[in-house]
Amino acid sequence: MQVPAHFEYEKATSVDHALELLGRWGEEARVVAGGHSLIPMMKLRLARPEALIDINDLTELDYIRLDGDELAIGAMTRHRDLLHSAVVAEHYPIFREAERVIADPIVRNRGTIGGSLCQADPSEDLSAAFAAVDATAVIRGVDGTRTIAVREFHTGPYETVVGPAELLIEIRVAIRPGGGSAYEKVERRVGDWAVAAAGVALWLDGDIVTDVGIGLTAVGAEHFHAREAEDFLRGKPATEENLAAAGALAGQHCEPNADQRGPVDYKRHLAGELTTRALRRAAARAQGQGA
């Protein structure tokens, strides 16, 4: 039987209270919401916090709404709510498609958007989706609030820029006309971590790609996005040849590890193929052709 090391438990009743508790416990505290990643790591003693700060009562961070020309998503929003949100699906179908392949209904009913991003698992789906749309993370500490691009949020496997006395409170995504998005994933079985996955957000003026974001997960892409592929495609026509070339670049410039899910060459091939497929569908949506 696997049992975590001893820890103290504190239940936060507000964001301010959570920040107070985090300040009190310092670097030895961990925040828990859904707990689907943290608790198993604690049972294996891969994580050994001295205190758990339970933030499940922070309903003030549970929302999805339009705020001017941005989509605002509270960090305590559950996966199921992002999956079923009509406003999210209208503006960014990439999130609905990513959520459909995240774990299972039990996890989606309990797990939170902020928890997924802060866990910073190298195979996490939403990190790639938010990188593709170039989202902004809002982080709050005792001294105030700061923002940082999601593409700069993760500093390494299981590491983020969130300080020991800070909380991720919101993710913001600009609403922009003329765009389309899509998510593609290969997994060994339903709900598994990705072997490889690609998310794309793309904007067109006629047939010219005015802007594009390509997110990758499980293949060692720096900050979960394919910068070289984006730079190649931006300003070019969204032809099949150019989309395929961008996909190939995404595969070439990622750094997957060989493991039980497959060798490096296979994962590079998947990254390229999935990027191309997501680009095709995003371009079709941007052109008003569905897909």
Side-chain angles (χ1 to χ4, degrees):
M1 182 177 179
Q2 296 170 334
V3 179
H6 174 80
F7 62 91
E8 299 296 327
Y9 173 83
E10 301 270 12
K11 194 171 185 67
T13 56
S14 68
V15 172
D16 287 340
H17 186 212
L19 293 174
E20 176 191 336
L21 292 171
L22 287 169
R24 183 190 310 169
W25 284 99
E27 295 185 2
E28 301 308 317
R30 291 289 297 272
V31 168
V32 64
H36 289 97
S37 296
L38 177 59
I39 300 303
M41 291 178 69
M42 289 175 62
K43 287 182 176 180
L44 293 170
R45 303 205 175 190
L46 297 175
R48 301 183 65 168
E50 291 186 5
L52 282 188
I53 312 301
D54 186 339
I55 60 171
N56 276 289
D57 285 351
L58 272 55
T59 55
E60 62 200 278
L61 300 183
D62 182 2
Y63 56 84
I64 299 172
R65 61 184 178 228
L66 287 177
D67 185 3
D69 60 355
E70 290 185 310
L71 178 67
I73 303 169
M76 284 297 296
T77 301
R78 308 289 171 171
H79 289 289
R80 65 167 185 263
D81 296 322
L82 193 64
L83 172 62
H84 296 298
S85 169
V87 67
V88 169
E90 175 187 356
H91 294 287
Y92 283 106
I94 184 176
F95 294 119
R96 176 170 288 184
E97 293 179 354
E99 285 289 3
R100 282 174 177 163
V101 293
I102 290 177
D104 55 37
I106 294 174
V107 171
R108 293 196 293 268
N109 285 340
R110 188 66 176 167
T112 64
I113 308 309
S116 289
L117 290 177
C118 288
Q119 180 64 15
D121 191 291
S123 298
E124 202 276 312
D125 292 279
L126 286 186
S127 296
F130 280 115
V133 302
D134 202 12
T136 299
V138 183
I139 300 167
R140 183 170 162 188
V142 293
D143 296 325
T145 300
R146 63 189 178 103
T147 60
I148 188 167
V150 165
R151 293 183 173 199
E152 300 173 7
F153 183 79
H154 300 98
T155 57
Y158 308 103
E159 296 180 347
T160 75
V161 299
V162 180
E166 292 184 318
L167 278 178
L168 172 66
I169 61 169
E170 186 179 74
I171 304 95
R172 302 183 72 87
V173 184
I175 302 297
R176 301 164 56 187
S181 64
Y183 196 79
E184 294 278 350
K185 178 178 179 177
V186 166
E187 55 199 338
R188 294 186 301 174
R189 56 185 178 270
V190 174
D192 196 6
W193 293 109
V195 178
V200 165
L202 178 147
W203 290 265
L204 296 177
D205 182 3
D207 69 338
I208 301 299
V209 178
T210 57
D211 201 5
V212 60
I214 299 172
L216 294 174
T217 194
V219 291
E222 187 175 6
H223 296 296
F224 290 95
H225 77 106
R227 178 178 55 81
E228 293 84 2
E230 294 169 349
D231 291 344
F232 167 81
L233 193 55
R234 198 174 289 115
K236 290 184 172 64
T239 62
E240 173 61 26
E241 180 182 5
N242 286 335
L243 299 182
L249 280 172
Q252 291 167 13
H253 288 277
C254 62
E255 297 292 340
N257 292 317
D259 57 19
Q260 71 274 21
R261 292 182 172 87
V264 169
D265 288 349
Y266 171 62
K267 292 185 176 183
R268 286 187 188 277
H269 170 76
L270 273 184
E273 179 61 29
L274 295 176
T275 299
T276 301
R277 293 181 188 180
L279 283 167
R280 287 191 194 115
R281 293 201 298 115
R285 285 171 170 163
Q287 292 163 347
Q289 300 172 12

